[in-house]
Amino acid sequence: MKKVKIAPSILSADFSKMGEEVRSLEENGADVIHCDVMDGVFVNNITFGIKMVEDLRKITTLPLDCHLMIVHPEKYVERCAKAGADYITVHWEACKDNLKEVLELIRSTGVKCGAVINPDTPVSAIKDVIPLCDMVLVMSVFPGFGGQKFIENAYDKLREIREIISATGKEIELEIDGGVCAENVARVKAAGADVIVAGSAVFKAADRHAAIEELRNK
Ligand code: DX5
Ligand code: ZN
């Protein structure tokens, strides 16, 4: 079976004890910590910013995957990198014609860069920049909130992007984010995803270790 990474999203954590939450994810087998940065403008929700990334960096050795759901992400790339991000992903919908430059800016800081598309954005929007990415992120919900239902058009997009990635011959990770759970994770992996974001599926589980292992092994 192909090895996948499980990236719990701390959007579903208890923000009043974030340090303990991240330690618990680490102890329970998470591979990556997915950090959902939201500004209340690009999406209708506000979470946290660079300071959270900086403080989490001090308490975990796991890679920090910063999913920027903000307008003008280029303004925050350097600070986010300095704060200790391992991946920074930016939306095509926030960057449009500047996406290539923003990805190059991320790369210039030494952090892995990724392009993200919303459920209503076709793969063709990012096709040309995929070879420049370390990661591509397919949203299977409209960003803003955890606990939403998986939107099924993501399977075809994953397959399409996986083919493009294979043609590049490069090792580019393919991440899926939104509504992933034990019931659909096998199909998500079969479609080509190798980094699985999971918010509610991990945080609502009574046993986080079992939930993470189920997502990994199904
Ligand atoms: C949505 C976020 C996701 C979200 C995933 O805007 O980008 O990372 O937290 O949560 P679930 O797995 O509950 O859909
Ligand atoms: Zn996310």
Side-chain angles (χ1 to χ4, degrees):
M1 197 165 47
K2 193 174 70 171
K3 207 165 158 21
V4 299
K5 293 179 185 170
I6 307 300
S9 162
I10 56 171
L11 177 60
S12 295
D14 180 340
F15 280 29
S16 73
K17 44 178 188 181
M18 193 57 94
E20 286 164 53
E21 294 278 55
V22 168
R23 279 198 200 93
S24 136
L25 295 173
E26 189 161 356
E27 281 160 17
N28 285 302
D31 301 294
V32 171
I33 302 295
H34 184 82
C35 303
D36 284 311
V37 176
M38 302 185 187
D39 67 353
V41 180
F42 182 72
V43 288
N44 288 323
N45 199 5
I46 301 176
T47 52
F48 50 76
I50 309 293
K51 178 77 161 61
M52 179 67 83
V53 178
E54 192 181 330
D55 288 351
L56 292 181
R57 182 70 294 158
K58 296 173 197 152
I59 63 132
T60 183
T61 55
L62 288 181
L64 298 175
D65 168 25
C66 297
H67 175 193
L68 301 186
M69 285 161 276
I70 62 178
V71 294
H72 298 300
E74 69 281 359
K75 279 171 48 182
Y76 299 93
V77 162
E78 270 153 328
R79 272 189 278 165
C80 192
K82 219 169 160 205
D86 294 278
Y87 298 81
I88 297 177
T89 62
V90 291
H91 275 256
W92 174 82
E93 298 80 9
C95 303
K96 299 261 171 92
D97 291 344
N98 288 331
L99 181 57
K100 182 170 179 279
E101 285 69 34
V102 183
L103 291 167
E104 282 166 350
L105 173 64
I106 298 169
R107 171 152 303 202
S108 75
T109 65
V111 171
K112 290 182 177 165
C113 64
V116 192
I117 49 171
N118 274 346
D120 58 356
T121 299
V123 172
S124 58
I126 56 161
K127 193 168 188 284
D128 292 346
V129 300
I130 290 176
L132 308 171
C133 292
D134 298 293
M135 175 186 269
V136 178
L137 168 52
V138 172
M139 290 307 299
S140 39
V141 298
F142 284 92
F145 297 90
Q148 303 181 72
K149 195 175 174 296
F150 187 93
I151 298 172
E152 304 255 327
N153 73 358
Y155 295 120
D156 281 343
K157 285 181 170 178
L158 288 172
R159 276 188 283 269
E160 199 179 337
I161 296 171
R162 178 50 69 191
E163 270 190 30
I164 298 170
I165 290 176
S166 299
T168 68
K170 295 184 179 168
E171 279 195 22
I172 300 169
E173 294 181 285
L174 180 51
E175 183 174 49
I176 182 85
D177 184 6
V180 179
C181 59
E183 285 67 46
N184 57 25
V185 71
R187 227 177 130 191
V188 157
K189 289 186 221 168
D194 52 15
V195 182
I196 312 292
V197 176
S200 32
V202 171
F203 282 93
K204 283 213 175 121
D207 181 342
R208 289 183 184 176
H209 186 261
I212 290 171
E213 289 314 307
E214 191 173 26
L215 291 170
R216 195 193 308 286
N217 298 321
K218 266 215 165 176

